[in-house]
Amino acid sequence: MIVGAVRGRWRLPAWASDAGAAAVVLAAELGLASYGLGARVVLLAVAGAGLMLLRRRYPASVAVMAGVLYLIGTQPPEYDAPVSSALIALYSVGRHASGRLAIGIGALAVMVGAVRSGAGWEGASLASVLTVGLSPAAPVAAGHIVRLRAELLHRRQQQAAELAVREERRRIARELHDVIAHHVSVMSLYMGVARRTIPLDPGRAEETLRTGEDTARQAMAEMRHLLDVLRTDGEPVDDQADVGVARLPALVEESGNATLEVAGEAVELPTTVDHAVYRIVQEALTNTRKHAAGARSRVLLTYQPGLVEVEVGDDGQPRPGDVGVGLGLAGMAERVSLCGGELRAGPSPRGGFVVHARIPLVERP
């Protein structure tokens, strides 16, 4: 993409390219004139140069007129034909005209060239005949090849842009899923606790409701941040959200029935890894509340040289029908893959469910 941007930035404007072609025709025809700079030679050179300014808009007409100038130039007594203008015009047909029109102009140029040189075919070798006869088709073919390459490059750029849009949509879907699923499940948990404790302990129920209210505010804050990201039109954003390893204790605490253990010497994580670790823990705890209500969870964050590991396990029993990979696990797998890591998720031999991610802190060669 960077190379494409540089190419686009340094590409000459169309008028400058056409003016350059006109200058080349003047330099070639006036500088290499075999019979001196007679009036006819100068007029043919100027006319051929003028046609170069129209070669993009009217490639077929310019090619025909350049051919006429070429035939005029081959008439005796002076045989100074404007070859350069004819070659550039034929190239422009292949570059800027449709495929069928380019083939038609190329075939016409070959026939005219063959008829015009027909008197000299006697005794000539087959290679010489083919070289002279097919030479007008070479610039047309060259122009058409350049056109096909340009169209292929444009198509690849479009595909890359579409892929980037799809990747961004998947990223936003993961963010929305993580934010909404986690906070809604936490609020549901606290509302249930408050409903059961209101008759027995109104004070505790009030505290639980306040916690649920704080969770709702946090969900709204993260949702607003996502909307702000969508409104930035590609401008850099300082933070992905208020997420990261530093917030894991608060995340585990608000989950209600989970513990956090940290092993190894903590190091500062890259932003993408820091974000991914938080979202993995968040989604795993959310899945525990959804599929194994009441189960206890254990979060283990391990720092090792060059990598970080995070494991979230529970001791619950899955509900009947909870089989397969949902959006949550798929989102976790995508996050870990983008960081160059590995994710394993499945039932634990000791019972319950375990999610284990292993993420390197340096890029793999």
Side-chain angles (χ1 to χ4, degrees), residues 298-359:
R298 173 176 174 266
V299 179
L300 175 61
L301 178 65
T302 304
Y303 294 93
Q304 297 186 22
L307 62 89
V308 63
E309 291 183 300
V310 60
E311 180 177 286
V312 183
D314 62 58
D315 58 2
Q317 296 297 325
R319 296 176 183 176
D322 287 346
V323 180
V325 178
L327 180 60
L329 286 177
M332 283 191 281
E334 288 182 3
R335 290 182 186 279
V336 174
S337 177
L338 290 174
C339 296
E342 301 174 353
L343 178 76
R344 298 195 308 272
S348 171
R350 299 185 298 273
F353 196 86
V354 175
V355 174
H356 181 92
R358 180 184 178 95
I359 304 176

Side-chain angles (χ1 to χ4, degrees), residues 60-242:
S61 300
V62 167
V64 172
M65 296 177 67
V68 172
L69 294 179
Y70 176 83
L71 292 177
I72 294 174
T74 58
Q75 300 300 317
E78 300 174 354
Y79 294 91
D80 263 336
V83 178
S84 59
S85 62
L87 293 177
I88 296 177
L90 290 173
Y91 168 84
S92 301
V93 168
R95 179 67 178 86
H96 302 292
S98 63
R100 291 183 179 180
L101 185 57
I103 293 175
I105 295 294
L108 178 62
V110 169
M111 288 190 298
V112 171
V115 172
R116 183 68 184 83
S117 305
W121 290 144
E122 297 181 3
S125 64
L126 178 61
S128 300
V129 173
L130 292 177
T131 300
V132 176
L134 297 181
S135 57
V140 178
H144 193 64
I145 292 173
V146 172
R147 176 181 178 174
L148 292 178
R149 290 186 60 184
E151 291 178 351
L152 180 60
L153 177 61
H154 179 66
R155 190 175 305 169
R156 287 177 177 172
Q157 291 174 343
Q158 284 185 326
Q159 292 174 348
E162 293 172 358
L163 178 61
V165 170
R166 289 195 295 269
E167 290 293 338
E168 184 65 9
R169 286 176 177 173
R170 283 197 288 266
R171 186 190 69 80
I172 294 172
R174 290 196 302 268
E175 294 289 343
L176 290 174
H177 176 272
D178 292 344
V179 170
I180 295 175
H182 170 73
H183 290 296
V184 169
S185 64
V186 170
M187 287 187 290
S188 176
L189 173 66
Y190 282 122
M191 296 305 102
V193 171
R195 177 177 55 81
R196 288 191 294 269
T197 56
I198 284 177
L200 303 176
D201 190 349
R204 182 183 176 189
E206 183 179 359
E207 181 181 353
T208 302
L209 289 173
R210 286 200 185 96
T211 305
E213 186 179 3
D214 293 339
T215 302
R217 289 197 187 96
Q218 185 179 356
M220 289 300 298
E222 294 194 22
M223 288 288 291
R224 289 193 188 98
H225 178 83
L226 286 175
L227 293 177
D228 289 341
V229 171
L230 294 177
R231 294 190 185 105
T232 55
D233 296 330
E235 297 177 2
V237 180
D238 293 335
D239 297 313
Q240 291 291 324
D242 187 17

Side-chain angles (χ1 to χ4, degrees), residues 278-311:
Y278 180 90
R279 291 304 190 193
I280 290 168
V281 174
Q282 184 184 55
E283 178 59 29
L285 294 177
T286 299
N287 287 342
T288 297
R289 288 192 296 270
K290 289 170 57 178
H291 303 296
R296 292 173 297 179
S297 300
R298 173 176 174 266
V299 179
L300 175 61
L301 178 65
T302 304
Y303 294 93
Q304 297 186 22
L307 62 89
V308 63
E309 291 183 300
V310 60
E311 180 177 286

